[in-house]
Amino acid sequence: MIEYDLIYEISKAILNLDPSVRWMGIANKFGVLLNAEHREGLEQLMTDEENEEYAALTVTRHKTRIKFQPKIGDLIYAAGKYERVIRATIRINEDYFLLMTLDVDAKDYDSILVDKVIPLIRERRNEFVDKDLSVENEKTQST
């Protein structure tokens, strides 16, 4: 299992990257929300249960998008602008996903994602490994 301290540290870092970040969650490849954080003092729009359902559906939806990557290129991020919020999904690696919402009036949310969030994710991507699997892989490779 991935270390919770890492997930918590990166969650806080992402939440503090820009004042327009409302909520963020990290989900595994099965759509299970491992951690979620929201801006302090913010009234959340969805319940914890709704966020869990959102995570599951978002990861499933992402898997349908990658089918076309050989023809159109890798997905950098997926975003949707709603009346009350902007949602974005960024694949951290094969096993983990970053889900986030931004204020609907966020100025140039593309640059927030491309210039702030994605560089942080790329910098820390290699830390998102399942420790149990890493140990098993090391044992397998050494035999």
Side-chain angles (χ1 to χ4, degrees), residues 19-120:
S20 65
V21 177
R22 296 177 53 88
W23 175 91
M24 61 76 46
I26 295 177
N28 67 17
K29 64 184 175 185
F30 304 109
V32 175
L33 199 54
L34 303 175
N35 188 45
E37 302 285 338
H38 63 87
R39 188 168 65 214
E40 195 168 320
L42 183 74
E43 182 180 331
Q44 295 191 70
L45 298 175
M46 297 192 333
T47 66
D48 290 344
E49 292 78 18
E50 289 168 330
N51 281 327
E52 289 172 12
E53 182 180 357
Y54 160 60
L57 293 171
T58 298
V59 170
T60 300
R61 192 168 36 251
H62 175 79
K63 290 176 182 178
T64 64
R65 289 185 181 113
I66 62 174
K67 175 182 177 180
F68 302 105
Q69 282 184 174
K71 292 186 177 202
I72 60 177
D74 289 344
L75 178 65
I76 297 167
Y77 72 83
K81 187 170 185 177
Y82 297 80
E83 290 177 353
R84 300 179 68 192
V85 72
I86 297 168
R87 281 183 167 175
T89 305
I90 300 169
R91 184 175 63 86
I92 297 171
N93 61 26
E94 299 300 320
D95 297 320
Y96 298 96
F97 295 83
L98 169 65
L99 315 174
M100 58 190 308
T101 63
L102 297 103
D103 291 325
V104 71
D105 59 353
K107 301 291 183 224
D108 197 11
Y109 68 87
D110 179 73
S111 68
I112 294 168
L113 297 173
V114 172
D115 298 335
K116 294 180 179 182
V117 178
I118 292 173
L120 175 69

Side-chain angles (χ1 to χ4, degrees), residues 10-25:
I10 291 177
S11 295
K12 287 298 187 183
I14 290 168
L15 195 62
N16 293 313
L17 279 176
D18 192 272
S20 65
V21 177
R22 296 177 53 88
W23 175 91
M24 61 76 46

